[in-house]
Amino acid sequence: MTARTLEQDIADTADTVTAAPWMRGLNADTGYLFYRLGLRSGRLFNATLEESGLRLRHYALLRYLATVDGALQRELSDRLGYDPSAIVSLVDDLQKLDFAERRPSPGDRRSRVVVLTDQGREALRATEKASRRVTDDLLGPLDEDERAALHALLLRVAEPERG
């Protein structure tokens, strides 16, 4: 088996993804493919999460909160890349569902930290199963090695400071 270059794989994929000539140029544009994948991924994830009364942004917030003992809202904004006003609304939503709560900050009683509740952990466990199903659907055409390689590459692109 001969080694193929990434450029050869991209060219073959762009030619075989669709027969429509007008799509060939778009499919050769990696940024556009990211955009299309993001739309499709967001649509599938949101449809699955709506069963739990959540959206993808809620899920991201729950996932982050599961890794910390509590976080200030500005930390959530910084870590997740969401506008601070969006964080307030997302935390309000999670609080109404009893998935998160605001507590006084141990270091500064004027500040509040957002903490995941037991109900939030349970909701996260349920949504993680659905998340894996969506990911499996999205990555269906890829084998295990290709999935691992894609994940590693996406981490390098999404978080260049880690690479």
Side-chain angles (χ1 to χ4, degrees):
M1 181 171 178
T2 62
R4 292 179 49 87
T5 67
L6 184 57
E7 290 80 12
Q8 289 170 320
D9 286 342
I10 291 169
D12 287 350
T13 300
D15 287 340
T16 59
V17 167
T18 180
W22 60 271
M23 285 299 291
R24 285 192 186 115
L26 288 173
N27 286 339
D29 182 333
T30 303
Y32 179 74
L33 290 176
F34 273 127
Y35 170 75
R36 285 202 36 211
L37 180 60
L39 289 177
R40 182 171 172 231
S41 174
R43 189 171 53 250
L44 291 172
F45 272 102
N46 280 325
T48 301
L49 292 170
E50 282 175 2
E51 299 167 8
S52 305
L54 301 172
R55 307 254 322 141
L56 192 50
R57 289 179 151 217
H58 295 112
Y59 176 73
L61 186 56
L62 289 173
R63 290 284 309 246
Y64 181 77
L65 288 174
T67 67
V68 296
D69 289 329
L72 297 170
Q73 288 182 169
R74 73 176 162 270
E75 176 188 345
L76 296 172
S77 175
D78 292 342
R79 298 281 189 218
L80 299 174
Y82 298 159
D83 186 83
S85 63
I87 291 293
V88 171
S89 177
L90 291 170
V91 172
D92 287 346
D93 293 345
L94 293 177
Q95 219 170 345
K96 288 176 190 166
L97 293 167
D98 293 324
F99 292 168
E101 62 186 25
R102 291 176 174 98
R103 295 181 183 162
S105 173
D108 180 0
R109 293 288 177 188
R110 295 171 295 169
S111 296
R112 315 279 287 164
V113 294
V114 181
V115 181
L116 193 62
T117 64
D118 289 339
Q119 295 93 323
R121 288 185 198 290
E122 184 60 37
L124 183 58
R125 276 192 290 278
T127 59
E128 284 175 336
K129 291 174 190 170
S131 170
R132 281 193 295 280
R133 282 194 311 271
V134 169
T135 299
D136 285 343
D137 287 348
L138 287 169
L139 301 181
L142 305 179
D143 65 31
E144 290 295 319
D145 290 339
E146 291 169 324
R147 288 178 184 208
L150 176 62
H151 187 86
L153 291 170
L154 289 172
L155 276 175
R156 282 179 41 201
V157 172
E159 300 183 31
E161 64 277 358
R162 293 181 80 191

